[in-house]
Amino acid sequence: MAVQQSADRDPYFPDNGDPRYRVHRYELALDYRPGPNRLSGTARINAIAGRAPLTEFQLNLADFRIGRVRVDGRQPHFTHRGGRLRIRPAKPVRAGAAFTVEVQWSGNPRPVASPWGGLGWEELADGALVASQPVGAPSWYPCNDRPADKATYLLSVTTPSAYTVVTGGRLLTRTTKASTTTWVYEQSAPTSSYLVGLVIGRFQTVLLGDPGPGGVPQHGHIPARLLPEFSRDFARQPAMMELFQELFGPYPFDGYAVAVTEEELDVPVEAQGLSLFGANHVDGARGSERLVAHELAHQWFGNCVTIADWRHIWLNEGFAKYAEWLWSERSGGRSAQQLAAAAHRLLATLPQDLRLADPGRRAMFDDRLYERGGLTLHAVRCALGDDAFFRMLRGWVRLYRNGSVTTEAFTGHVARFAQEPTDGLFQEWVYGAKLPPLPVLRNVP
């Protein structure tokens, strides 16, 4: 695993995350009652101090009532204001030492405010879902909320037995006692806090395709009324999985789940090993198939290989956008060249003041970043040729598997596969704002 981890706070979200330590593992035990929207939880967080002793540190946690807090079994001094749980241990943690934090909390979870509206825990008409990108994770559990701080998770959720609990990772046990059921999941791959997904609802669970020996188990969790439409809309997801494994390398996690809520969602949301779709994305006519490909591609680009901080978000979204074009090209739709040309025409009509390498917080989810990111990957493909390009992509995932990356790491990686210098290409497409000419694949219409 290679890691490009910043020692500084995230420039876009300086109040989120604490670079003075890193978390190794979260063990979360939650009890959720959908009717009153009541959540109570206990977290056991195993962490490692950085290069300096920790006289104090912080976790991010929204406006809950805090119960017990312990550091290595001892009661610390703590304050909880403005979404930050500041903890001063009774005894400073030595530099490089392992330590354990325990937190108990309870209350009514709700989304945290952001420039894009509420993020994180969302109460539904009959259940709940979590959509945390980029800073919504503290809406439901205490965490070191920075994308580069990836940890393993053990997640136990108790709910009324009529509800299904779906999250990423492997279901270890499901135990029913009286009127409640406890679901225990293990996410053994390092996971960013914003990528811990969760959905609680009344679902029918189906297997997508036959994974066969050594294949990737794929499950769908959907309201029963939407099963006929879902069966058509997601029918080609197993073929997508096969293609992306060919192009990007082996699927990086234990399995993959998709969940569809009764409510409509503006956009689908990826989590590690899980993607969440709204009922509006299921129409029985494959109207959202490009989004099915987009969210699946994030399992490689964004989830397995994760950005070091939010300045580099194009490495998530540009790659997933280009995966849409690759799926179209390989499944009988428009070619990547045709889709690149359409994206280029669109961008030519829009302001040219966005730089992929550092778009700024306000523009990090701008449609132009997605389209220009896809075009940048297409430009790299045109420069390298298909053989080197796809070797480069597989090598990128292999080298940085379970780690975190920067734009500079990517440009350096591409250079190792190029026969000619690529500095000018990246200067135009990634560090510049003006739209370069449309890149064209050789021998492709």
Side-chain angles (χ1 to χ4, degrees):
M1 177 182 70
V3 178
Q4 305 279 322
Q5 183 160 343
S6 171
D8 301 320
R9 295 189 183 277
D10 192 299
Y12 291 1
F13 302 99
D15 290 340
N16 284 67
D18 189 335
R20 294 172 292 183
Y21 71 97
R22 59 186 177 87
V23 177
H24 171 67
R25 181 172 177 81
Y26 293 88
E27 295 179 355
L28 307 177
L30 308 177
D31 188 294
Y32 181 65
R33 304 305 159 113
N37 184 39
R38 184 74 178 173
L39 177 70
S40 59
T42 300
R44 181 179 175 87
I45 302 169
N46 298 320
I48 301 172
R51 296 180 178 179
L54 281 180
T55 57
E56 61 96 19
F57 61 91
Q58 77 169 37
L59 291 163
N60 293 106
L61 180 63
D63 185 21
F64 289 97
R65 185 177 66 83
I66 303 296
R68 172 187 171 99
V69 178
R70 295 290 185 271
V71 177
D72 289 334
R74 302 180 66 180
Q75 183 172 335
H77 179 271
F78 69 88
T79 61
H80 183 220
R81 287 191 296 271
R84 287 185 281 184
L85 179 60
R86 298 180 183 273
I87 299 173
R88 188 189 310 150
K91 180 180 179 181
V93 180
R94 299 190 320 275
F99 64 102
T100 300
V101 185
E102 297 173 67
V103 181
Q104 292 179 343
W105 72 101
S106 61
N108 301 105
R110 60 181 182 270
V112 296
S114 83
W116 308 278
L119 298 173
W121 190 284
E122 183 175 345
E123 181 186 8
L124 303 177
D126 192 19
L129 67 81
V130 169
S132 291
Q133 188 180 13
V135 290
S139 67
W140 63 292
Y141 75 100
C143 56
N144 190 16
D145 193 31
R146 56 200 310 256
D149 194 9
K150 304 174 73 170
T152 64
Y153 283 77
L154 182 70
L155 181 59
S156 170
V157 184
T158 300
T159 61
S161 296
Y163 294 87
T164 298
V165 175
V166 182
T167 186
R170 186 165 57 95
L171 178 62
L172 299 183
T173 61
R174 183 178 63 190
T175 306
T176 298
K177 293 182 179 179
S179 62
T180 65
T181 298
T182 299
W183 305 69
V184 180
Y185 285 86
E186 171 80 25
Q187 178 56 272
S188 58
T191 308
S192 296
S193 52
Y194 85 92
L195 288 171
V196 183
L198 180 69
V199 60
I200 299 170
R202 301 176 192 265
F203 298 124
Q204 184 166 336
T205 299
V206 297
L207 181 66
L208 286 164
D210 180 3
V216 179
Q218 300 175 64
H219 290 90
H221 307 274
I222 62 272
R225 70 176 183 85
L226 294 176
L227 183 58
E229 293 85 355
F230 176 89
S231 298
R232 175 170 174 77
D233 292 337
F234 286 78
R236 300 210 292 181
Q237 184 180 281
M240 291 178 191
M241 180 71 77
E242 289 186 15
L243 175 64
F244 290 170
Q245 289 193 99
E246 173 193 335
L247 300 181
F248 310 147
Y251 180 75
F253 307 120
D254 292 333
Y256 182 58
V258 293
V260 178
T261 71
E262 285 278 9
E263 281 79 6
E264 295 188 357
L265 300 180
D266 290 339
V267 293
V269 180
E270 83 274 7
Q272 190 142 308
L274 169 69
S275 294
L276 306 177
F277 294 81
N280 51 309
H281 300 124
V282 179
D283 60 7
R286 294 179 179 160
S288 296
E289 188 169 84
R290 71 171 186 85
L291 299 176
V292 177
H294 185 104
E295 303 309 324
L296 176 58
H298 272 311
Q299 302 306 318
W300 286 265
F301 306 113
N303 301 4
C304 177
V305 179
T306 303
I307 51 176
D309 64 60
W310 292 105
R311 290 173 297 180
H312 310 287
I313 189 172
W314 83 274
L315 293 173
N316 293 1
E317 302 302 345
F319 281 56
K321 170 60 69 173
Y322 199 61
E324 296 178 29
W325 300 356
L326 292 172
W327 167 248
S328 175
E329 179 173 86
R330 294 288 288 267
S331 64
R334 287 190 290 173
S335 70
Q337 184 64 53
Q338 291 169 323
L339 290 165
H344 195 273
R345 287 192 298 271
L346 173 64
L347 288 175
T349 68
L350 300 174
Q352 296 180 26
D353 57 0
L354 182 144
R355 291 174 172 82
L356 287 184
D358 190 359
R361 187 170 80 166
R362 293 182 62 183
M364 59 186 284
F365 295 116
D366 193 304
D367 287 344
R368 293 175 296 164
L369 181 137
Y370 291 63
E371 301 294 343
R372 187 175 179 122
L375 275 166
T376 299
L377 268 293
H378 192 66
V380 172
R381 181 183 176 189
C382 292
L384 268 58
D386 273 16
D387 179 68
F389 176 74
F390 289 111
R391 283 192 291 110
M392 180 276 296
L393 282 186
R394 290 189 292 271
W396 176 246
V397 176
R398 184 171 60 250
L399 178 61
Y400 290 101
R401 181 185 179 93
N402 294 329
S404 53
V405 294
T406 62
T407 297
E408 292 71 27
F410 180 68
T411 60
H413 179 75
V414 169
R416 291 192 284 272
F417 292 81
Q419 295 182 345
E420 298 179 0
T422 54
D423 293 353
L425 183 155
F426 287 114
Q427 190 59 46
E428 286 189 331
W429 282 101
V430 175
Y431 297 103
K434 182 181 178 181
L435 182 65
L438 173 68
V440 178
L441 278 173
R442 295 184 291 272
N443 302 320
V444 174

